[in-house]
C-alpha cells in the first residue's frame, strides 16, 4: 500500500502533466485533477506507515542498491511532501482563476505546474544523488518557464538570470557527483557515509565543496541569492508562492541530507557547517536589511525569503551538540511555518497586485478598506515571519533560540535576535504602508479597485490561518519529526 | 449628631455642585452648627468602618474648644458671607463647604488617617476661598499658599508613614502609650512639627498668611485666621506628645521663635496699610504666642495637662475675636459710635485688656508658663507682646478710619463680637479657670495698652509711615520657591531607515552582487573557502 | 487539556476574540449591529469574570492546559492576582467601549478600530490569566500586535512615526524578554507560576545567571511599564485617539508591563530570592528614579495628553516600587495601585478626550475657564487629578499610605523621599491645570467656539467619564468596605504572604 502510494506521489502528477497536453478540454481537467487531488490521500497512507514503521526504503523494480533506484521515506520527507501537497494544492486553486485550464495561458501553465509537483515529490523521496540531480534539473527547468509565463520584459530577464545561474549550479553539482562516483563507486545518499570515510580526502573535499556550492546557489543562500528576488517577485502569484515556499527549500533539504545523513562527523565537517551557518547569518541580516530598503511589496517578500532561509542554515553547527534535537525541531518547524507563511504572503500580494494594479508600497494606502482579507492574510503570515506568537514561526524561533542557548553558541543567539527584529521592521513597514491614508477627503477608496475572486482570497487567508494554527499544533508534529538524522553525529 | 456634622457640609457641597446653591443658600450658616452641639454635649464616638481605613470620629477633651470655635465662628461668618458674597456664589459656597467638611473631619477624627484626610481636604479647598476674586494678586497668593500647604502636607505624610509602618492607622489618643519606647521616630517628630507649622504660620513658613488674607473675601479671611490656622495647633497637640518621640523637645528654641514671631509680625503689620493685611500679621504674631504655649506644654506630661485647657481658652479667644475683626473690616468703613465700640471690643481683647477674654487668656498663660518652669524673661517678654499688639491694632483702627465708603452693619458681626466677649469666659468657667483679675494683674494688662496708645498717637500725629516692603519680600521668596524648569532628556530615536546613505550604499552593493561575473567570483571564493576549511580540518 | 467548566479563562479570552473577529467581518457600515455586539461582548465578559470570581470564592480552581511544544504548555489559570487584573480590565473595557462608541461617532475605520480594540483586551485577559511565563509572553507579544493598529489609527505621518517608535521599543523589549525566558527555560525548565521559590532550589551556584535573567525580564517588562529609560514610546503614542490612550495607560499595555513585573517578583523569583540576589533593590531604584523623572518631565509638557502620559510613566512605577520594596504593606500598596492608577488615569484621559472633542482643546493653556462650560467633565478631572496627587480621601492616598508605611516597615526610608518628592511634583503639574480650569476666565477664542458634542455623544462620552470618576473616588473613600480594591488586595497578600 505504502509503496504504491509513494510511486503514486511521483507518477500521478507526471501522468497528469502528460494528460494536460493532450488535445481537448476534458483531458486537461482530468490531468489536473488526477495529478493533484489524490496527493493528500496518498500522503495520509504514507504518514500512517512512517508513523508506525519508521523510515523505510523502497526498491523500484525490485533491484537492490547500489544498482537499482531506491526511494527513501522518513518523517522529514513526509513533512516536505505534505508541504508540497498543501501549499502546492492551495496555490493551484489560486492559479485556477488566473490560468483557467481551457485558456491558452492555462494550456502552457498546467503541464509545467504538474511536472514541477512531480519533480519535487520525486526529489524528496529519492535516495540517489544522480536521481536527485535529475529532479533538481527538472525543477529548475519547469520553474523558469513558469516565471517567464507572463512574458513581461522584467520577468523574462529575471528568468534568464535564474536559468544561467541555475545551470551553473547544476553543473557544479553534477561535477561533484561525478567525482564522488569516481572516488566511492556509490551514489546512494544513505550508503555513502562509510564510503566517504574510506575515500581519498582530496576527492571528498572537492566533492563536498562542489555539491554544496551547487546547492547553495540553487537555494539562493547569501551571497549567491542574487537571482532570487527578481525571479520570485516577477513571477505570477502562485508561482512565487511555490518558488519561495518549496523550490528553494529543495536545495536546503538536500544540503541537510548530504551533510547530516551522508558526511562522516569529523572536525572538518563541523567547521564547514559553521561556515554554512555564517552564510546563513549573513543571509538573515543582509536579506532583512535589503527587505527594508525595497519599494515593492513582492520584492520585500522575496528578500524576506532570502533572510528566512538563513534560519535553516543556522542550526547546522549545533549538529554535534547536546542541543541538536531541539535545534532540529526548530529547523524543521521553521521549514514548515515559513513555507506556509511565505506562500500566504505571496498569494495575498498577488491579490493586492491584481486589485490595485500596483504593488508599490506607496500605492498600498487604505488597503484595509480596499483589500481587507488580503491584508489580513498578509498580516497574519507576517506575524509568523516575525516569529511573534501565536504562530508557527514563533515556536520555531523559540526552539532555535532554546537550542542556541543550550549549545552555548552565543553568536547564533545574537543573529537570531537581530534577524527577528529586522523581520519585524520590514513586516510592519508593509502594514504601516497599507494603513496609511494620505488624503482623508478621498471619497471612495474602493472605486479604483478591481474585484478579486473569492477563491483566490480564500486561498491566501487559508494559508495564513494554517501558519497561525501551526502555532498550536506543534507538539504532535514535533514528536513525529523526531530527532533527525540517525546516530551520525556524536551527541552527548 | 456626629454623622450630621460630617455629612451636612458635604451634602450641601454636592447640592452646590449640582447648581442648587440659590435654593439652599440659607443653610450655609447652619452647616457648622452641629459642631457646637458636639462641643457641649457629652462625648460620643462613631465608627465608620467603611471609610478609608475605617474612621473613628468624635469629640474629646482636646478638641472641644476647637469644635466650639468652629461651630460659632464658621456659622456666623457663613451668615455674613450670605450677604457679602455677590459674585461667584456657587464657587464660594462650594469651597466654603468643602473646607468646612475637611476641617470638621480633622477636628473630629480620632485616628491618624482620618485626621490627615480632613486636614488635606481643608488645605486644598481653602485655596478656592483665597482665590475667590480671581485677580492676579489672588492667584499669586494662592500659589504661595498652595506650595506651602503642600509642602506641609507631604511633611506630615512623611511623618505619618514612619508612624504607620509601626502602628498602622493608630488611634490618636493612644499615640503616647503606643510610642512607649520611642526609638527611631525622631525624624517623624520633626516632620510632623514642621508640617503643621505651615498652617500655624510659624516664622519662616508664615509668608502665605499676609498674602492670602488681603485677597480673600472678609468671611473667608475670618475663618482662615480664626479657625483654619488652629488646625495646625490641633495637629501638634494630636501628634506630638510631650516627649516628642524621645527627643527632649527644643523648648527654648521654640519659645524664642514664638516670641520673635510675636514682635516681628507686629512690626511687619505696622508697615502695611491694607486692614486685612494688618490683621493677618496680627494673626502671625498671636500664633507666635501660641507656639510659646505649645512649647511650654511640650516640656512634660504634667505641663501638657496643665496647659491644655489654657491653650483651649486661647484658641477660643483668639479665633472669635480675630474672626470678629475680619468681619469688621467689611462692615466698618466709616466708624460711627456703635461701630467703633464693636471694633474696639475685640481689638482690646486681643491686646489683653483686663476683664476681657484676652486679659483672662494672657493672665492664665503667664501663670501657666511660670508653672511650666519657663525662664522668667520669657514670661516677661510674653507679657510685653501686648505692647506691640496694641500698637498694631491702633494702626488698624487708624487705617479703617481713613477708608471711605459705606457698608451695612451685619448682625453676624454683632453676634460674633458678643460671642467673643462671652464664650471664652464661659469656657473658662466650664474648665474651672475663670477668675477675676487681681490689681497687679490688671495693671500688667493696662500699662502696655496705654503706652502703645501713646506711641501710636504720637507716631500718627507726625505722619510717620513704615515702608511697605513685606509684599516685595514675599514675592522674592516666591520666585525662589518656584521650581526651576528642567530640560527634557531626549533619547536617540531608533530607526534604521533614517540612515539613508547607508541604505543607498547597500542597494548599490546588491546591484553589484547581481552581476554575473561577481557571482562567479563569489562562487570561486566560496569554493576555495569550503575546500580550505575541509582540508585544514582533515 | 479539558474544555469544560475548568477552561473558563479560555472562554473569557475567546469572548473578546470572537467579538473582534465578528466586528471585522461586519464591515464599516453596520454601525448599530456593531455597537450592540461590542457592548454585548463587554458585558458577557464582565459577567463571566464575575461568575469566575464567585466560583473562586467557592473554592473552584480554573485551569486550561494546551501543550504547545514538548514540555511547554499554554497554561491559563485564575489566581487572585489574575482576578484583580481581569476584573479591572473587563470593567474598564466596558466603559471604554461606551466611550469609544461616542468618541468615534463620525470618524472613519471604526470596524478596524473596534476589532483591534477587542483583540487588545483579549490579549490583556491572556496576560492576566497566563499561568506560566511562556503563556505570558505569548499574550504579551499579542498585545503589542493588537495595539499597534490602534496607535496608528489616525493614519497621519505623526501617528506612524509614533507607531514606529512604539514597535521599536516593544519589539526590542519582547526580544529581551524572549532571551531571558529561554535562558530561564534552559536553566530551570518551564515552571508554572508558583509562589515564592520555584527557582529557589537551583539558585545556589547560578546566582549570576539568575541576576542576568532577572535583568533581561525586567527590561522586557520595563518597556511596556515605561520604566526609565525605556519610556519614551509612551508620550509619543499619545497621537492615538483618546479611548486608545485611556486603554493603553489604564488597562492594557502599561499595566501588562507592570503586571509582568509583579509576576516576576512574586511568582517567578519569589520576593525572598529576588531580594537575596539584590534584585528588588535594583528594581526599586529604577522605579524610584522613573517616578521622579516622569514627574519632572510632566511639568514641562504643554500638551495635555503628553502631560498625562508622563504622569503615567511616573505613576505606574509605583506598582513596581511597591512590589520591589516588599513587605505586606508595600506590596498591598503596589498591587492596589494597579487598580487605583487604572481608574484614575482612565478618568483623566476620558476628560482630556472630552475637552478635545467638545472644544478642540489640546494645550494646557487653553483649559482656562472650562469649569464653566464643561462642569461635569471638569469635576471628574479634578477628582482624578487630586487622586493622582494622592490627596486623601482619594485612591492615590490609599496607595501612598501603604507604600510609605510599607517602605518604612521594610527598612527602605528613601522610598518616603521619593513619595514626598513625587507628591509635590504631581501637585506641581496637576494643580495648575485645576487652577486654570476653575479659577481663570474663559478665553474669548474658546468662548466663541461651539460645543461640538451632539446630544447623544454627550451621553456616550460623559456617562463613562462620570462612572469612572465616581468609581475612582469610591475606591479611595470607601476603601474600608468589603469588595473595595484595598480589601481584595489585602486579602490576597494576607492569604499568600508577601
Amino acid at each position: 500500500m505504502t509503496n504504491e502510494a509513494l510511486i503514486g506521489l511521483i507518477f500521478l502528477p507526471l501522468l497528469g502533466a502528460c494528460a494536460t497536453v493532450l488535445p481537448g478540454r476534458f483531458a486537461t481537467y482530468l490531468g489536473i485533477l488526477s495529478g493533484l487531488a489524490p496527493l493528500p490521500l496518498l500522503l495520509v497512507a504514507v504518514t500512517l506507515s512512517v508513523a508506525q514503521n519508521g523510515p523505510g526504503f523502497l526498491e523500484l523494480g525490485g533491484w537492490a542498491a547500489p544498482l537499482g533506484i531506491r526511494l527513501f521515506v522518513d518523517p522529514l520527507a513526509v513533512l516536505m511532501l505534505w508541504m508540497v501537497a498543501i501549499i502546492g494544492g492551495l496555490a493551484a486553486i489560486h492559479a485556477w482563476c488566473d490560468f483557467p485550464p481551457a485558456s491558452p495561458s492555462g494550456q502552457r501553465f498546467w503541464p509545467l505546474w504538474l511536472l514541477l509537483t512531480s519533480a519535487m515529490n520525486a526529489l524528496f523521496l529519492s535516495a540517489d544523488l544522480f536521481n536527485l540531480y535529475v529532479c533538481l534539473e527538472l525543477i529548475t527547468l519547469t520553474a523558469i518557464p513558469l516565471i517567464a509565463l507572463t512574458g513581461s520584459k522584467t520577468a523574462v530577464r529575471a528568468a534568464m538570470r535564474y536559468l544561467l545561474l541555475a545551470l551553473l549550479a547544476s553543473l557544479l553539482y553534477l561535477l561533484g557527483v561525478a567525482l564522488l562516483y569516481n572516488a566511492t563507486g556509490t551514489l546512494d545518499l544513505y550508503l555513502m557515509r562509510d564510503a566517504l570515510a574510506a575515500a581519498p580526502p582530496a576527492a571528498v573535499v572537492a566533492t563536498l565543496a562542489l555539491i554544496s556550492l551547487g546547492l547553495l546557489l540553487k537555494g539562493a543562500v547569501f551571497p549567491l541569492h542574487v537571482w532570487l528576488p527578481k525571479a520570485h517577485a516577477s513571477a505570477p502569484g502562485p508561482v512565487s508562492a511555490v518558488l519561495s515556499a518549496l523550490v528553494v527549500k529543495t536545495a536546503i533539504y538536500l544540503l541537510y541530507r548530504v551533510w547530516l545523513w551522508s558526511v562522516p562527523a569529523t572536525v572538518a565537517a563541523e567547521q564547514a557547517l559553521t561556515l554554512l551557518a555564517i552564510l546563513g547569518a549573513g543571509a538573515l541580516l543582509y536579506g532583512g536589511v535589503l527587505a527594508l530598503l525595497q519599494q515593492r511589496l513582492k520584492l520585500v517578500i522575496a528578500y524576506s525569503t532570502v533572510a528566512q532561509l538563513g534560519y535553516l542554515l543556522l542550526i547546522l553547527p549545533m549538529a554535534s551538540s547536546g542541543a541538536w534535537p531541539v535545534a532540529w525541531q526548530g529547523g524543521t518547524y521553521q521549514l514548515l511555518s515559513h513555507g506556509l507563511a511565505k506562500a500566504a504572503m505571496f498569494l495575498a500580494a498577488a491579490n493586492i497586485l491584481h486589485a490595485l494594479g500596483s504593488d508599490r508600497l506607496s500605492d498600498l494606502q487604505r488597503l484595509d478598506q480596499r483589500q481587507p482579507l488580503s491584508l489580513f492574510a498578509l498580516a497574519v503570515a507576517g506575524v509568523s515571519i516575525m516569529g511573534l506568537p501565536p504562530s508557527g514561526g514563533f515556536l520555531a524561533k523559540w526552539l532555535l533560540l532554546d537550542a542556541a542557548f543550550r549549545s552555548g553558541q552565543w553568536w547564533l543567539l545574537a543573529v537570531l535576535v537581530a534577524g527577528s527584529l529586522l523581520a519585524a521592521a520590514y513586516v510592519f513597514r508593509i502594514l504601516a504602508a497599507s494603513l496609511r491614508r494620505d488624503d482623508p477627503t478621498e471619497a471612495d477608496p474602493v472605486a479604483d479597485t478591481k474585484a478579486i475572486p473569492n477563491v483566490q482570497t480564500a486561498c491566501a487567508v487559508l494559508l495564513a490561518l494554517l501558519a497561525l494554527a501551526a502555532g498550536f499544533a506543534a507538539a504532535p508534529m514535533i514528536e513525529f519529526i523526531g530527532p533527525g538524522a540517525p546516530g551520525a553525529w556524536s551527541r552527548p | 449628631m456626629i454623622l450630621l456634622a460630617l455629612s451636612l457640609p458635604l451634602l450641601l457641597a454636592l447640592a452646590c455642585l449640582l447648581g442648587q446653591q440659590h435654593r439652599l443658600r440659607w443653610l450655609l450658616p447652619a452647616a457648622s452648627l452641629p459642631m457646637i452641639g458636639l462641643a457641649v454635649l457629652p462625648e460620643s464616638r462613631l465608627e465608620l468602618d467603611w471609610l478609608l481605613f475605617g474612621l473613628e470620629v468624635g469629640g474629646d477633651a482636646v478638641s472641644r474648644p476647637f469644635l466650639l470655635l468652629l461651630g460659632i465662628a464658621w456659622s456666623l461668618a457663613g451668615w455674613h458671607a450670605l450677604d457679602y458674597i455677590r459674585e461667584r456664589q456657587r464657587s464660594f459656597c462650594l469651597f466654603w463647604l468643602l473646607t468646612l467638611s475637611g476641617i470638621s473631619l480633622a477636628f473630629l477624627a480620632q485616628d491618624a488617617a482620618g485626621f490627615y484626610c480632613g486636614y488635606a481636604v481643608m488645605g486644598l479647598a481653602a485655596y478656592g476661598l483665597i482665590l475667590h476674586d480671581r485677580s492676579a494678586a489672588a492667584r499669586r497668593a494662592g500659589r504661595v499658599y498652595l506650595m506651602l500647604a503642600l509642602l506641609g502636607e507631604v511633611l506630615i505624610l512623611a511623618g505619618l508613614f514612619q508612624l504607620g509602618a509601626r502602628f498602622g492607622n493608630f488611634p490618636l489618643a493612644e499615640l503616647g502609650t503606643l510610642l512607649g519606647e520611642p526609638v527611631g521616630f525622631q525624624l517623624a517628630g520633626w516632620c510632623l512639627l514642621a508640617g503643621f507649622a505651615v498652617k500655624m504660620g510659624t516664622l519662616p513658613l508664615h509668608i502665605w498668611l499676609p498674602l492670602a488674607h488681603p485677597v480673600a473675601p472678609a468671611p473667608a479671611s475670618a475663618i482662615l485666621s480664626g479657625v483654619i490656622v488652629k488646625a495646625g495647633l490641633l495637629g501638634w497637640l494630636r501628634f506630638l506628645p510631650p516627649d516628642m518621640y524621645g527627643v527632649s523637645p527644643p523648648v527654648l528654641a521654640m519659645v524664642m521663635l514664638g516670641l520673635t514671631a510675636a514682635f516681628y509680625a507686629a512690626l511687619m503689620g505696622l508697615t502695611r496699610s491694607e486692614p486685612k493685611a494688618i490683621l493677618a500679621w496680627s494673626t502671625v504674631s498671636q500664633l507666635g504666642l501660641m507656639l510659646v504655649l505649645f512649647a511650654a506644654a511640650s516640656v512634660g506630661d504634667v505641663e501638657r495637662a496643665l496647659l491644655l485647657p489654657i491653650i483651649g481658652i486661647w484658641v477660643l479667644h483668639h479665633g472669635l475675636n480675630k474672626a470678629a475683626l475680619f468681619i469688621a473690616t467689611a462692615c466698618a468703613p466709616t466708624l460711627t459710635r456703635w461701630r467703633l465700640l464693636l471694633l474696639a471690643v475685640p481689638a482690646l481683647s486681643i491686646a489683653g485688656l483686663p476683664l476681657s477674654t484676652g486679659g483672662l487668656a494672657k493672665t492664665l498663660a503667664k501663670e501657666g508658663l511660670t508653672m511650666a518652669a519657663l525662664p522668667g524673661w520669657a514670661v516677661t517678654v510674653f507679657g510685653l507682646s501686648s505692647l506691640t499688639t496694641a500698637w498694631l491694632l491702633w494702626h488698624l483702627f487708624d487705617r479703617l478710619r481713613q477708608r471711605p465708603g459705606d457698608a451695612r452693619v451685619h448682625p453676624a458681626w454683632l453676634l460674633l463680637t458678643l460671642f467673643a466677649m462671652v464664650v471664652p469666659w464661659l469656657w473658662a468657667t466650664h474648665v474651672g479657670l475663670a477668675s477675676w483679675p487681681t490689681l497687679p494683674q490688671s495693671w500688667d494688662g493696662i500699662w502696655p495698652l496705654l503706652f502703645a496708645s501713646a506711641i501710636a498717637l504720637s507716631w500718627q500725629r507726625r505722619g510717620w509711615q513704615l515702608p511697605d516692603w513685606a509684599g516685595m519680600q514675599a514675592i522674592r521668596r516666591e520666585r525662589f520657591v518656584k521650581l526651576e524648569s528642567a530640560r527634557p532628556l531626549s533619547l536617540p530615536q531608533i530607526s534604521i531607515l533614517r540612515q539613508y546613505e547607508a541604505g543607498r550604499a547597500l542597494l548599490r552593493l546588491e546591484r553589484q552582487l547581481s552581476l554575473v561575473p561577481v557571482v562567479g567570483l563569489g562562487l570561486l571564493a566560496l569554493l576555495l573557502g569550503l575546500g580550505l576549511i575541509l582540508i585544514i580540518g582533515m | 487539556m479539558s474544555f469544560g467548566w475548568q477552561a473558563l479563562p479560555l472562554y473569557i479570552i475567546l469572548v473578546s476574540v470572537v467579538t473582534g473577529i465578528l466586528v471585522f467581518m461586519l464591515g464599516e457600515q453596520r454601525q448599530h449591529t456593531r455597537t450592540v455586539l461590542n457592548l454585548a461582548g463587554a458585558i458577557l465578559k464582565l459577567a463571566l469574570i464575575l461568575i469566575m470570581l464567585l466560583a473562586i470564592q467557592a473554592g473552584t480552581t480554573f485551569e486550561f492546559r494546551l501543550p504547545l511544544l514538548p514540555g511547554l504548555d499554554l497554561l491559563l489559570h485564575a489566581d487572585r492576582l489574575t482576578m484583580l487584573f481581569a476584573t479591572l480590565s473587563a470593567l474598564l473595557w466596558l466603559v471604554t467601549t461606551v466611550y469609544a462608541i461616542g468618541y468615534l461617532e463620525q470618524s472613519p475605520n471604526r470596524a478596524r478600530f473596534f476589532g483591534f480594540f477587542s483583540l487588545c483586551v483579549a490579549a490583556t485577559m491572556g496576560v492576566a490569566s497566563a499561568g506560566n511565563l511562556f503563556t505570558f509572553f505569548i499574550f504579551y507579544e499579542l498585545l503589542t500586535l493588537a495595539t499597534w493598529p490602534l496607535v496608528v489609527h489616525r493614519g497621519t505621518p505623526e501617528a506612524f512615526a509614533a507607531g514606529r517608535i512604539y514597535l521599536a521599543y516593544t519589539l526590542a523589549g519582547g526580544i529581551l524578554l524572549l532571551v531571558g525566558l529561554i535562558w530561564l527555560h534552559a536553566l530551570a525548565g518551564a515552571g508554572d507560576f508558583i509562589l515564592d521559590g520555584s527557582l529557589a532550589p537551583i539558585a545556589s551556584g547560578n546566582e549570576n545567571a539568575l541576576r542576568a535573567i532577572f535583568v533581561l525580564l525586567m527590561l522586557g517588562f520595563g518597556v511596556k511599564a515605561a520604566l526609565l529609560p525605556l519610556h519614551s514610546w509612551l508620550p509619543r503614542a499619545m497621537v492615538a485617539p483618546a479611548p486608545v490612550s485611556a486603554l493603553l495607560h489604564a488597562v492594557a499595555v502599561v499595566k501588562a508591563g507592570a503586571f509582568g513585573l509583579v509576576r516576576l517578583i512574586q511568582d517567578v523569583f519569589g520576593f525572598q530570592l529576588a531580594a537575596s540576589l539584590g534584585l528588588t533593590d535594583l528594581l526599586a531604584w529604577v522605579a524610584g528614579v522613573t517616578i521622579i523623572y516622569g514627574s519632572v518631565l510632566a511639568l514641562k509638557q504643554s500638551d495635555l495628553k503628553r502631560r498625562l502620559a508622563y504622569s503615567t510613566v511616573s505613576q505606574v512605577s509605583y506598582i513596581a516600587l511597591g512590589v520591589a520594596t516588599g513587605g505586606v504593606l508595600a506590596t498591598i500598596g503596589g498591587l492596589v495601585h494597579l487598580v487605583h492608577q487604572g481608574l484614575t488615569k482612565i478618568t483623566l484621559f476620558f476628560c482630556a478626550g472630552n475637552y478635545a472633542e467638545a472644544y478642540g482643546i489640546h494645550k494646557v493653556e487653553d483649559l482656562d475657564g472650562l469649569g464653566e462650560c464643561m462642569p461635569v467633565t471638569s469635576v471628574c478631572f479634578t477628582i482624578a487629578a487630586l487622586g493622582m496627587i494622592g490627596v486623601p480621601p482619594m485612591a492615590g492616598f490609599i496607595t501612598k499610605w501603604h507604600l510609605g508605611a510599607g517602605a518604612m516597615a521594610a527598612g527602605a526610608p528613601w522610598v518616603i523621599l521619593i513619595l514626598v518628592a513625587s507628591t509635590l511634583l504631581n501637585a506641581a503639574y496637576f494643580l495648575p491645570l485645576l487652577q486654570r480650569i476653575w479659577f481663570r476666565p474663559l478665553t474669548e477664542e474658546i468662548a466663541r467656539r461651539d460645543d461640538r458634542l451632539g446630544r447623544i455623544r454627550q451621553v456616550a462620552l460623559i456617562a463613562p467619564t462620570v462612572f469612572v470618576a465616581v468609581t475612582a473616588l469610591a475606591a479611595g473613600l470607601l476603601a474600608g468596605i468589603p469588595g473595595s480594591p484595598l480589601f481584595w488586595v489585602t486579602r490576597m497578600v494576607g492569604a499568600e504572604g508577601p
Side-chain angles (χ1 to χ4, degrees), chain A residues 392-405:
Chain A
F394 164 64
L395 295 183
K397 202 170 76 184
W398 172 279
L399 290 168
L400 290 176
L401 279 170
D402 199 3
F405 235 103

Side-chain angles (χ1 to χ4, degrees), chain A residues 329 368-369 383 386-390 394-395 397-399 401-402 405-406 410 413 416-417 420-421 424-425 428 431-438 471-476 478-479, chain C residues 28 66-70 72 74 108-109 112 134 137-139 141-142 144-145 148-149 152-157 160 167-168 171-172 175 178-186 216:
Chain A
Q329 290 165 3
D368 62 315
Q369 283 167 48
V383 169
M386 284 186 273
L388 288 184
F394 164 64
L395 295 183
K397 202 170 76 184
W398 172 279
L399 290 168
L401 279 170
D402 199 3
F405 235 103
R406 283 163 197 266
W410 298 97
L413 197 76
L416 285 167
V417 163
S420 51
L421 281 179
F428 270 107
L431 299 183
S434 37
L435 293 187
R436 227 180 51 239
R437 31 186 286 135
D438 285 349
F472 294 97
I478 281 173
E479 203 179 321
Chain C
E28 188 64 33
L66 173 73
L68 280 191
L69 284 176
L72 275 177
L74 181 82
N109 298 333
R112 183 176 95 200
F134 180 69
F137 176 78
I138 289 179
F139 286 105
E141 292 293 285
L142 207 57
T144 307
L145 292 176
W148 179 76
V152 302
H153 180 74
R154 295 223 194 268
T156 56
F160 281 107
L167 280 180
L171 290 178
I175 289 283
L178 183 61
V179 171
L181 205 53
I182 283 182
W183 194 349
L184 189 64
H185 179 61
L216 282 171

Side-chain angles (χ1 to χ4, degrees), chain A residues 2-17 34-35 39 42 46 58 60 69-72 81 114-127 131 135 138:
Chain A
T2 317
N3 296 351
E4 286 80 359
L6 288 177
I7 294 166
L9 281 173
I10 298 172
F11 286 99
L12 277 180
L14 195 60
L15 289 174
S34 63
L39 296 186
L42 297 177
V46 173
L58 169 66
L60 284 186
I69 293 175
R70 287 209 305 175
L71 297 184
F72 175 69
L81 290 170
L114 288 164
L115 216 52
L116 180 63
T117 310
S118 167
M120 284 193 291
N121 281 349
L123 185 132
F124 293 133
L125 290 171
S126 293
N131 286 344
C135 295
L138 199 57

Side-chain angles (χ1 to χ4, degrees), chain C residues 347-363:
Chain C
T347 313
L348 288 173
F349 273 107
F350 281 178
C351 291
N354 289 353
Y355 288 138
E357 282 299 290
Y359 291 98
I361 285 163
H362 301 284
K363 293 281 169 198

